[in-house]
Amino acid sequence: MGSLRDYQRKRDFSKTREPAANEIGTAGRRAIFVVQLHHASRRHFDFRLQVGDVLKSWAVPKGPSYDPQVKRLAVEVEDHPVSYAGFEGDIEHGYGKGHVDQFDHGVWTTPGDAETQLQKGHLRFELFGKRLKGGWHLVRSGRKERQPAWFLIKARDAFAGDVEADDLLDAKMARSTRKAAKTPAAQAAAKKSTARKKSIPRAKRLPRLRLAKAAAALHGARPAAPSDGFFKPELARLRESPPEGAQWLHEVKWDGYRILAAIAEGEVKLWSRNALPWNERLPDIVQSLESLGLHSARLDGELVALDARGHSDFNGLQQTLAGEAQLPLVYMLFDLPYLEGSDLSRVGLRERKQLLGNLLAHAPPHLAFSTHTIGNGQEAFRMATDEGLEGIISKRVDSAYHPGRGDDWLKIKRLESDEFAVVGYTPPRGSRSGFGSLLLARPDPQVKSGWIYVGRVGTGFSNEQLQRLGQTIADKGSARPTVKLAAIDPLLRDARWVRPAAVAEVYYRGIGNNNLLRQPSLKTMRTDKTPADLADSDRAGSKPATKSAGAKRRKPAAPKPADIKITHPDRVVFPDDGYTKQDIADYYASVMKWFLPGVVNRPTSVIRCPEGTAKACFFQKHLIPGLKHVGSVKLKEESGAQATYIYPLDAASVLELVQFGALEFHPWGSTVGQPELADRVVFDLDPGDDVAWPRVVAAARLMRRLLAQLGLESFLRTTGGKGLHVVVPLNPGCAWPQVKDFAHAFAATVAQAHPLEFIATAAKAQRSGRIYVDYLRNSRGATSVASYSLRARSGAPVAVPLRWSELGKLKSGHDFDIRSTPTRLARLRSDPWAGIDGVQQELGDIIGKLR
């Protein structure tokens, strides 16, 4: 998300103990903040917020103030690595010489995208530290300064008060301040921090004794000792339709993580439903519960991130917990089985919820009451469906709180339905006849007449349907799949695959891992449609609308590119050339039909330059708040954790990313439907500074000839930089480890055979006079620039596919730019890469030949 170039340039890491880069892993952790007291030539506080993989940093000379009327100058400095948050001690030489103490640290949140807010000059955020709490603002100053100047201002909330940073120094920091105090101002600050002590303002506490009496007076309440240990939650059974009658209440089914809170002697402990401790991951929720001032309690609820409409956003929740976003989290509470010495598990649910509502009447915003309606379950479910919510939870109004799954709590999920082609079947098992399940697929938008497997459906069939369909498909098909498979499924070992011949409409409960349908069940066989109807509809851009059971409203039509508003169209993005943000949008719109095939349905990293190429640019590969028209998919990273990656769906996706500042697009060599199978191998010919262009041309021709000797057809592309890409398509695709081994072996073979021309190691010191065959783009998660993508370089060059016959006319790898590329495409009669998706070739035993 940021650049450490300036940070590293200003330091000599052979002399400083400061971390050179992110030396500790940060994946899977909440976004943090840290404030450090720095006794440099001028004493100041360093205020740092994690945005992506860097700490955005400001020097605050007088430190933060809790007074909302005080505007503290905050001078923006270079980004720091996230591992800098743990740094304390002396900087002994050079830049920043002096002593560093940690003043405070914790997690932080903000509604919306942090980068976008910073770009606009006003960041609203909330801190959850030991010393700094509540809402804050960073507002860019209008003054012209050598370094960007901001103001750090406390929000008007329950924590606001007459407290300064120096009032909160502990003994260790006060000693450091006295030791470093040399100037009169520093001596005055040291004296003040010793003489004047104030505590952090606290929110108004609830009348605990009154609540305790109300709890003890409820019918069924029993005295019981408090405990901060895990307690087993009550669970709901899945039902197809909601129950009717006034004996049932209905709540929204929140799409988040179940969290149990136990308080004993004022200490809060959070647990997952599987008894895992969650305090460290949720300091914001812990602080909010502590602010209630309770001595003992047990609370049950769902941890959610809320979108702008107030709906739970599960992707946003996952991204925030993984440090990829900073959305505010809310603990949506729906039960209170214990309070202040009283076991309420035998009290009726309606009374428990009424007491819970009183408890939360003046709670901080991170604690919310899950409201309900009583009776009329069908109407409650219809409203939830119309709003696009996950469903409802129905509960008996007079029920006790029982651990485990029972019939007092029922969950009714919104069902979606869509139409899919039948592409095979599994054999029947046990007493079942005909078949076990039907195999389903959707049209592949990248391959004409191609299909992508989406799962299998084995429930919802009548006996008549089983018999009739079984007779139709029995003993037909082959063991070889006729569609793309996202992953190997052992349950498909005995499957028989057929050409798409029928259409099934299927209910399902969302999309799961590997983009497969969750809990599908047959709605009906669409005898009025053929697979060709689905394929034609998909190619026309009007994929059948996903339908919700019980819903009367249709989903809105997909946005047109014209619907994407480009804000600040006159902002200059390429300062040396004068190209604006609108020029970028116009370029991508003009080349869209050529550009889309290389990025659609591929996990794609973009390079964003929100303030132009002269300022910080950064990679973006994960979903961020605010993106509405871009696809997202959960993929495993090297660490084993899952992350949500973005990918373009259509022209609107591309222009939305341009609106967010994207200039360059770098897709994977595989699709979201088959992330483990590569369908491209890319060799980047990167010449040393002293290599003449004709040698690069000759090198590309040699690469083509050597690949042809192995039986592999290849294609050519300029990079928009110094070199060329030689691209090898794979169809039906190969596993990433095999592709990586092949690319490495081929590059090494070329370098060994022609040592004066090529090198296959990345060391720049050894590249002089030679061409580096970069094979490192051929591993899972690696990317290479897309065809027709702009490059964030002077002149706005473009990566352009070529015919091999055009190679001799090139003068450099950046011959084409934002102006000449659309002109070239307007003159072309056919695609230079025509037929690349139809090339049938794979690596097979080629690696063995190379070795």
Side-chain angles (χ1 to χ4, degrees), residues 676-699:
E676 308 305 327
L677 292 181
D679 58 10
R680 294 283 189 274
V681 184
V682 179
F683 294 103
D684 182 2
L685 301 182
D686 184 5
D689 293 335
D690 52 353
V691 174
W693 179 250
R695 287 178 59 192
V696 181
V697 171

Side-chain angles (χ1 to χ4, degrees), residues 335-483:
D335 216 324
L336 182 65
Y338 179 95
L339 181 67
E340 298 295 0
S342 295
D343 179 357
L344 307 179
S345 62
R346 295 187 182 181
V347 174
L349 174 61
R350 179 161 32 189
E351 288 73 26
R352 294 200 308 271
K353 289 204 68 177
Q354 184 174 357
L355 182 62
L356 176 61
N358 294 337
L359 172 66
L360 299 175
H362 302 289
H366 295 277
L367 304 178
F369 178 63
S370 182
T371 59
H372 60 266
T373 61
I374 296 179
N376 205 350
Q378 288 291 347
E379 177 64 14
F381 183 60
R382 186 193 65 77
M383 292 178 63
T385 298
D386 286 350
E387 289 296 318
L389 300 174
E390 191 185 4
I392 62 173
I393 300 289
S394 300
K395 302 175 181 178
R396 293 187 188 274
V397 296
D398 58 353
S399 62
Y401 188 92
H402 295 296
R405 205 174 301 277
D407 292 320
D408 288 338
W409 289 17
L410 306 175
K411 55 184 175 183
I412 301 91
K413 292 186 178 182
R414 175 171 58 97
L415 284 173
E416 297 177 343
S417 72
D418 210 341
E419 295 156 357
F420 304 96
V422 176
V423 293
Y425 63 97
T426 59
R429 297 184 183 277
S431 60
R432 186 158 180 166
S433 61
F435 58 88
S437 59
L438 297 182
L439 309 181
L440 307 175
R442 60 177 172 82
D444 186 340
Q446 291 188 294
V447 180
K448 187 176 181 179
S449 302
W451 297 85
I452 297 175
Y453 176 70
V454 297
R456 46 198 176 81
V457 57
T459 61
F461 295 93
S462 66
N463 290 332
E464 181 183 353
Q465 286 175 317
L466 284 172
Q467 185 176 5
R468 186 173 64 253
L469 287 169
Q471 292 173 348
T472 302
I473 61 179
D475 300 325
K476 293 183 179 179
S478 69
R480 183 180 178 85
T482 57
V483 299

Side-chain angles (χ1 to χ4, degrees), residues 601-758:
N601 291 335
R602 292 180 183 272
T604 299
S605 298
V606 296
I607 292 183
R608 291 171 61 194
C609 303
E611 298 185 73
T613 58
K615 296 190 177 181
C617 297
F618 47 87
F619 266 98
Q620 176 82 48
K621 63 181 179 180
H622 296 147
L623 187 66
I624 59 173
L627 289 175
K628 300 178 181 178
H629 308 304
V630 174
S632 63
V633 61
K634 295 176 185 176
L635 297 171
K636 279 190 177 181
E637 299 192 307
E638 288 186 9
S639 65
Q642 281 200 334
T644 304
Y645 286 74
I646 58 174
Y647 65 92
L649 291 164
D650 49 26
S653 299
V654 173
L655 292 183
E656 182 180 45
L657 289 167
V658 170
Q659 159 60 15
F660 271 66
L663 288 183
E664 298 188 16
F665 292 76
H666 294 251
W668 284 26
S670 59
T671 64
V672 295
Q674 294 179 293
E676 308 305 327
L677 292 181
D679 58 10
R680 294 283 189 274
V681 184
V682 179
F683 294 103
D684 182 2
L685 301 182
D686 184 5
D689 293 335
D690 52 353
V691 174
W693 179 250
R695 287 178 59 192
V696 181
V697 171
R701 286 173 173 155
L702 175 62
M703 292 279 287
R704 182 193 188 193
R705 187 165 64 250
L706 295 175
L707 288 165
Q709 290 174 4
L710 295 172
L712 295 173
E713 185 176 351
S714 58
F715 293 75
L716 179 69
R717 175 171 63 206
T718 68
T719 64
K722 295 189 300 179
L724 294 168
H725 281 171
V726 177
V727 180
V728 179
L730 300 175
N731 192 358
C734 296
W736 277 115
Q738 185 182 17
V739 171
K740 184 178 180 180
D741 286 349
F742 162 72
H744 186 185
F746 182 78
T749 300
V750 172
Q752 290 168 9
H754 304 274
L756 299 180
E757 288 295 319
F758 298 101

